[in-house]
Amino acid sequence: MPDPSQNKPRTRNARPKIERAALKLFIDEGINAATTREIANAAGVSEGALYRHYKGKDELALSLFMATHNRLGEMLREALSAPGSPEDRVARAVEAYCAIADDDWLLFSFHLVSLNKFLPHDERRSDDPVTILETLIAAMMKAGEIPHGDPALTTAMCLGVVMQSGLNKVYNRLPGPFAAHAPTFTRTILAILHQK
C-alpha cells in the first residue's frame, strides 16, 4: 500500500514550515533522533519538499545553526566596534544578544544546545562571534581600556555569562525574557573585563 505522506500536494512557503518543525524536533528529540519524515510530517509537507530545500536533516540543522551564529558575529562586531566607553559597548552587545534571543527563542536555544556539535567542525574565521569578541577584547587591552590579560580566557569568561544563563533558560531555570537580565549580564561582564 502506498505511503499517503508521499502524495501531499506541494506546499507554498514550505521552507519556513520545515525549519520551524525541525527546530522543535531537534530541541525535543535531538538532531540524531529526529528523522526527515518526522520533520516533514510536523511541517505538514511531503518529505520531497524537505529535500527540495535541503540535502537532508544534517544540512538543515547546520543551516539553522549558522544563521544564528553568523548573526551573532555581525551583532558583536557592530556593538563593540562603535564609539563609546567599554561600558557603553558591552551594554550594547548584551542588549543586542538578548534581543536576538528574545526575538526567536526557539532558534536561539537551538544554537545554544548545538554549539558542541557544530563548533568543533567550524574553521576559525575572522567573522565568527568568538574570534570577533576575542579580537576586540585584545584591542581594548592594547589600548589600555581594560587591564591586560589573556584575551582568549577573558572572551570565554564573558561569553560564559550569557551562554550559561541561556542554557539555564532553555532548561526552564531562568524566568522571563532574556532581556530582563541584561543589566546583570552587563555588570558581570564588566567585572570580568576590569579584573586585574
Side-chain angles (χ1 to χ4, degrees), residues 12-149:
R12 301 189 106 197
N13 302 319
R15 188 180 195 124
K17 293 175 184 176
I18 292 166
E19 290 174 350
R20 299 314 289 180
L23 283 171
K24 181 101 174 68
L25 284 166
F26 290 160
I27 290 170
D28 291 347
E29 298 181 12
I31 296 169
N32 292 338
T35 67
T36 54
R37 178 171 289 192
E38 284 178 309
I39 294 167
N41 286 341
V45 301
S46 69
E47 212 171 341
L50 188 151
Y51 285 111
R52 278 192 288 279
H53 295 286
Y54 298 99
K55 292 177 184 172
K57 70 174 180 179
D58 291 334
E59 183 183 78
L60 170 56
L62 179 60
S63 172
L64 291 167
F65 176 85
M66 291 307 297
T68 300
H69 199 65
N70 291 335
R71 189 171 167 206
L72 285 169
E74 292 165 11
M75 171 274 300
L76 280 171
R77 180 183 289 117
E78 184 179 313
L80 292 171
S81 61
S85 68
E87 290 77 13
D88 293 336
R89 287 182 277 167
V90 169
R92 280 196 306 263
V94 169
E95 287 167 11
Y97 191 94
C98 290
I100 289 172
D102 289 336
D103 180 52
D104 190 342
W105 182 251
L106 188 63
L107 182 59
F108 189 78
S109 58
F110 172 71
H111 179 265
L112 282 175
V113 300
S114 302
L115 283 166
N116 66 333
K117 179 173 179 63
F118 294 115
L119 281 191
H121 308 291
D122 187 28
E123 293 180 16
R124 185 180 173 115
R125 301 173 286 130
S126 63
D127 64 343
D128 75 78
V130 177
T131 301
I132 288 169
L133 187 56
E134 186 177 326
T135 302
L136 291 167
I137 285 174
M140 291 165 75
M141 288 175 175
K142 186 174 181 181
E145 295 178 299
I146 58 175
H148 286 277

Side-chain angles (χ1 to χ4, degrees), residues 171-193:
Y171 303 131
N172 297 313
R173 298 176 67 90
L174 190 67
F178 212 48
H181 308 286
T184 303
F185 297 156
T186 300
R187 284 193 305 272
T188 305
I189 291 168
L190 287 169
I192 291 167
L193 290 175

